[in-house]
Amino acid sequence: MSTSPTSRGLLPLAATLLTATIALYMTLVAFGNITDFGTNQQFVRHVLAMDTTFKDEDLMWRAITSETLQDAAYIAIIAWETVAAFVLIAGSWLWARHDQRRARQLSTYGLLMVMLLFGAGFIGIGGEWFSMWQSKSWNGLDAATRVFLFSGVVLIVNQLPAPRTETSST
């Protein structure tokens, strides 16, 4: 049986490269938030405080104005991003080593972490619960949607069965 990259199929290569792309993105996001803490700290504070929304009395009770709680949420986001990055790096490494079963499993965990953060966290909680969609200056829904959708595509690619290679009898 041949073990060339072509005989293994291009699907594992695609899964490797796409997973590595999300791993790189999450690594850069986490690194940026750690080394330039204040930039996105302000973003999180404004979203949670709801200070740039329509100020609807029926919604403003949801606002979190405690800077301690806002910063705790931001630190939790950074921790989640960091763990997701490491999981995806490990998944990418396993894909590159042709350990498809473990690569698929670890990559799935990492991609689901990203999708939960950007889907449930930023789109659901930030966008709807804290009405981020109402803000002209602190609205990250477009970026969150892009990352959520790209991660979903990569998750689908990761779940596709690899083509079986033909063996020759002699």
Side-chain angles (χ1 to χ4, degrees):
M1 172 164 68
S2 173
T3 59
S4 70
T6 305
S7 70
R8 284 190 214 108
L10 293 177
L11 193 56
L13 176 62
T16 303
L17 296 176
L18 290 171
T19 301
T21 299
I22 300 289
L24 173 64
Y25 174 77
M26 290 307 297
T27 300
L28 294 174
V29 167
F31 181 77
N33 285 336
I34 292 166
T35 59
D36 183 17
F37 189 85
T39 298
N40 281 329
Q41 176 189 37
Q42 292 307 308
F43 190 96
V44 170
R45 282 184 174 179
H46 285 289
V47 169
L48 296 180
M50 299 174 68
D51 57 1
T52 60
T53 63
F54 300 161
K55 306 242 186 327
D56 183 337
E57 290 179 21
D58 294 331
L59 298 178
M60 291 308 293
W61 64 270
R62 300 175 183 177
I64 297 174
T65 56
S66 163
E67 288 187 355
T68 301
L69 290 176
Q70 292 168 345
D71 290 347
Y74 183 45
I75 290 167
I77 290 168
I78 294 171
W80 189 269
E81 292 166 345
T82 303
V83 171
F86 280 120
V87 170
L88 289 166
I89 290 167
S92 300
W93 183 78
L94 289 169
W95 278 115
R97 301 214 8 111
H98 308 293
D99 186 348
Q100 291 184 22
R101 185 188 62 75
R102 288 179 37 207
R104 183 174 285 117
Q105 183 179 35
L106 209 52
S107 297
T108 297
Y109 291 141
L111 291 164
L112 288 174
M113 288 180 72
V114 173
M115 293 181 77
L116 283 171
L117 178 63
F118 285 87
F122 298 150
I123 297 169
I125 295 170
E128 290 303 316
W129 185 257
F130 291 106
S131 300
M132 181 170 56
W133 65 270
Q134 294 178 0
S135 177
K136 290 184 195 274
S137 50
W138 301 102
N139 185 342
L141 288 174
D142 286 343
T145 301
R146 282 192 304 272
V147 175
F148 180 80
L149 291 175
F150 183 40
S151 298
V153 169
V154 176
L155 180 61
I156 291 168
V157 170
N158 269 264
Q159 297 305 312
L160 294 173
R164 300 218 181 254
T165 56
E166 292 184 31
T167 58
S168 59
S169 305
T170 54

